Amino acid sequence: MNKLFCNILIKNTSYLNEKLEVIRDINIIIKDKYILEITKDSSNYNPESIIDGKNLLWMPGLTDSHMHTCQQLLKGKILDELPMIWTRIMLPFESTLTKSKVNLSTKLSSLEMIKAGTTSFIDAGGIFMDEAAEIYIKSGLRGALSCSTMDNQNLPQSIRTTTQEALKNLNLLYNNFHNTGDERLQVFYSLRSLISCSEELIKNVFSDAKEKNIPVEAHMNEYPNEINFFLEKYKCRPIEFLNRENLLNDKFISAHSIFLSDNEIDILKENNSNVVHCPFSNCGKGIPNTPSLLQKGINVCLGSDGAAHGGMSLFQEMKVFRSIMNLHYGVKSCNPSIMPAKTLLKMATENGGITIQHNNLGVLKPNNLADLIAIDLNQPHLSPTNNIVNTIVESVNGNDVIHTIINGKIIMKNREVLTLDEEKILYEAKKHFIYNK
């Protein structure tokens, strides 16, 4: 009998199924960019490549639904700083960015995400994103890019744009890189924050995105001053303003979303919009009402907020978020499972796939995209365990990811990133800091 060709055969392994249950002694068959079959018997396949799955647990790759490519060189600069970080540190730093700095920052972001188990991401918007796009295509990651879109004329000169210039930058990035030549890379439209954008820019960004059928992402309700600004100027809160102008839809991505009113939560539900929390970054500002969001069926996912806010490991973000939710909500209601392990894993995988516009991402099953990572279970801090799913949330770190497959291609094998020169990139990074102290 003629055997069937496949690109990758993962033999004798364990994996998390769509119910996030562990299935053992199984084989995963990958052909082209999809999972072809998950089966007990792989004898009828002729694989191009074989991976020994012994002592490994395969799970969906993580989706970082809110990160900042351009902030890698800010690492270690923000922790313990006094308030108004945005105006005192972030804006001055971004106003000094050059193409070469964005190039290095993108390489470092790519390395950090791949080695931490992140296979897809949504960038919150930066400058020189054409430079970032070229690096991301080479890295093998799946992602969505945007420009840092704002037209406030009080910004530093180097990042100041008019309304028309901001829209032109978005359109150029979209025309050059949205699904052009590599379907892994998309372009979303963005608003950096509503208070840094004119009403004209806000409405035009939503209108252009609707015409192109792509998402709009924005930093929303991250600080009380945003809400106060809208209450003073428009007599309503930020989400209420967007709803009043009929701008919201099921593609809208509301990042951070710490200070949402009950009415704003209802509005997000009515529009089937998406919410992203960034636990480590957000816990110094406030605690979102995530139990209410989930109870209403709103799609909630997780983001790192970039390397400047504690690194880009979503395994860390899950740990932090569970602790925050349990302390603030669980203890008061005597409910230690207020944020269960499976819920957290779903936020970082399947829910992120929905937000990045891939409904066939974030779940390991036939016909879904082959974006998956392998956890090395043969380690003292992971084995033995009474519940692998709980242990993933409690104890797995980015360093435990040993293999990464994205779009059916092996991107990292035995902790070695195959698409980028890690040694050279780290040398460039050290050189940058020596000459920029």
Side-chain angles (χ1 to χ4, degrees):
M1 185 179 78
N2 290 332
K3 292 191 175 185
L4 301 173
F5 172 79
C6 67
N7 296 101
I8 302 171
L9 166 60
I10 304 170
K11 293 193 68 173
N12 304 321
T13 198
S14 300
Y15 86 108
L16 287 183
N17 69 6
E18 54 193 304
K19 296 180 181 178
L20 295 175
E21 301 166 333
V22 178
I23 307 298
R24 304 176 191 276
D25 303 318
I26 206 79
N27 303 288
I28 303 172
I29 314 298
I30 295 171
K31 185 176 180 184
D32 298 327
K33 59 184 177 180
Y34 298 106
I35 298 171
L36 181 63
E37 188 178 2
I38 300 175
T39 177
K40 287 282 187 181
D41 181 12
S42 62
S43 60
N44 60 329
Y45 284 100
N46 179 28
E48 185 177 47
S49 177
I50 297 175
I51 298 176
D52 182 3
K54 184 181 179 183
N55 295 322
L56 300 182
L57 174 70
W58 291 85
M59 61 176 283
L62 309 179
T63 296
D64 188 337
S65 297
H66 184 82
M67 52 76 72
H68 290 264
T69 295
C70 294
Q71 291 180 6
Q72 276 284 340
L73 304 180
L74 263 178
K75 189 176 290 184
K77 188 89 172 173
I78 290 174
L79 192 68
D80 298 335
E81 285 288 341
L82 294 172
M84 300 310 294
I85 288 169
W86 166 245
T87 52
R88 290 192 306 106
I89 298 175
M90 312 295 276
L91 279 178
F93 167 78
E94 291 191 21
S95 69
T96 67
L97 286 173
T98 61
K99 275 203 169 191
S100 62
K101 288 180 181 179
V102 171
N103 179 292
L104 176 58
S105 194
T106 308
K107 291 174 183 174
L108 289 167
S109 293
S110 299
L111 278 177
E112 187 169 356
M113 284 191 283
I114 292 169
K115 302 203 82 169
T118 295
T119 55
S120 55
F121 66 89
I122 300 174
D123 184 278
I127 61 175
F128 302 117
M129 295 311 284
D130 53 339
E131 189 77 17
E134 299 287 358
I135 302 297
Y136 279 131
I137 290 171
K138 182 180 178 182
S139 76
L141 284 159
R142 187 184 305 280
L145 298 181
S146 190
C147 298
S148 182
T149 309
M150 43 191 176
D151 60 353
N152 187 317
Q153 294 306 295
N154 294 321
L155 295 171
Q157 178 65 40
S158 61
I159 56 174
R160 189 185 308 160
T161 60
T162 65
T163 304
Q164 293 308 312
E165 286 171 339
L167 292 168
K168 180 182 177 182
N169 290 339
L170 283 172
N171 285 325
L172 277 173
L173 188 68
Y174 177 87
N175 291 335
N176 289 337
F177 291 103
H178 184 74
N179 289 336
T180 56
D182 196 317
E183 77 283 358
R184 285 179 294 106
L185 193 66
Q186 302 177 77
V187 173
F188 291 175
Y189 278 20
S190 68
L191 297 162
R192 189 63 181 263
S193 72
L194 298 193
I195 61 175
S196 61
C197 300
S198 66
E199 191 172 333
E200 180 186 2
L201 179 59
I202 292 169
K203 291 179 179 178
N204 274 285
V205 164
F206 274 96
S207 175
D208 286 0
K210 184 177 182 181
E211 183 180 316
K212 293 177 172 65
N213 196 32
I214 59 173
V216 173
E217 53 172 328
H219 293 72
M220 297 295 301
N221 297 46
E222 186 178 3
Y223 299 98
N225 67 311
E226 298 173 54
I227 297 159
N228 293 335
F229 174 88
F230 271 82
L231 288 172
E232 182 178 348
K233 186 171 183 179
Y234 297 105
K235 303 298 185 290
C236 63
R237 297 168 68 92
I239 297 288
E240 293 170 339
F241 168 78
L242 295 178
N243 189 57
R244 190 175 75 187
E245 300 298 324
N246 294 314
L247 300 176
L248 296 176
N249 59 25
D250 61 350
K251 287 182 169 54
F252 179 60
I253 304 169
S254 179
H256 297 293
S257 308
I258 305 170
F259 304 104
L260 294 173
S261 69
D262 289 343
N263 186 48
E264 286 178 300
I265 291 174
D266 287 338
I267 289 170
L268 290 170
K269 171 59 181 174
E270 289 165 9
N271 289 278
N272 292 317
S273 298
N274 307 278
V275 168
V276 185
H277 294 319
C278 303
F280 188 86
S281 172
N282 290 349
C283 66
K285 306 163 190 171
I287 299 172
N289 191 358
T290 313
S292 179
L293 291 166
L294 293 173
Q295 188 177 29
K296 291 181 182 295
I298 294 170
N299 186 55
V300 181
C301 43
L302 297 178
S304 68
D305 208 17
H309 298 279
M312 301 177 73
S313 170
L314 291 186
F315 288 110
Q316 172 181 280
E317 298 295 339
M318 284 187 273
K319 292 179 184 64
V320 170
F321 199 49
R322 190 199 179 280
S323 299
I324 293 168
M325 289 290 106
N326 193 47
L327 182 62
H328 190 75
Y329 295 106
V331 171
K332 287 189 290 189
S333 61
C334 297
N335 180 9
S337 62
I338 191 74
M339 196 58 57
K342 286 185 178 182
T343 299
L344 288 163
L345 283 172
K346 188 177 179 184
M347 287 182 189
T349 55
E350 184 178 359
N351 291 8
I354 293 168
T355 304
I356 201 173
Q357 304 297 294
H358 286 296
N359 291 325
N360 59 346
L361 190 69
V363 176
L364 300 190
K365 64 179 183 179
N367 301 317
N368 270 16
L369 287 165
D371 289 19
L372 58 164
I373 58 176
I375 307 298
D376 180 6
L377 296 177
N378 194 30
Q379 302 184 76
H381 66 290
L382 301 181
S383 180
T385 175
N386 293 292
N387 186 314
I388 291 182
V389 173
N390 286 353
T391 297
I392 291 172
V393 171
E394 291 177 317
S395 303
V396 167
N397 300 300
N399 288 338
D400 299 321
V401 179
I402 189 167
H403 304 311
T404 297
I405 296 173
I406 304 174
N407 217 41
K409 305 289 185 184
I410 301 172
I411 302 300
M412 181 173 73
K413 188 172 185 179
N414 295 318
R415 295 293 296 165
E416 180 187 357
V417 176
L418 305 179
T419 54
L420 299 167
D421 188 335
E422 181 173 0
E423 185 178 358
K424 182 179 179 182
I425 293 167
L426 292 178
Y427 171 78
E428 291 174 2
K430 290 173 185 175
K431 187 176 176 182
H432 167 85
F433 277 104
I434 288 172
Y435 289 104
N436 288 276
K437 283 187 176 180

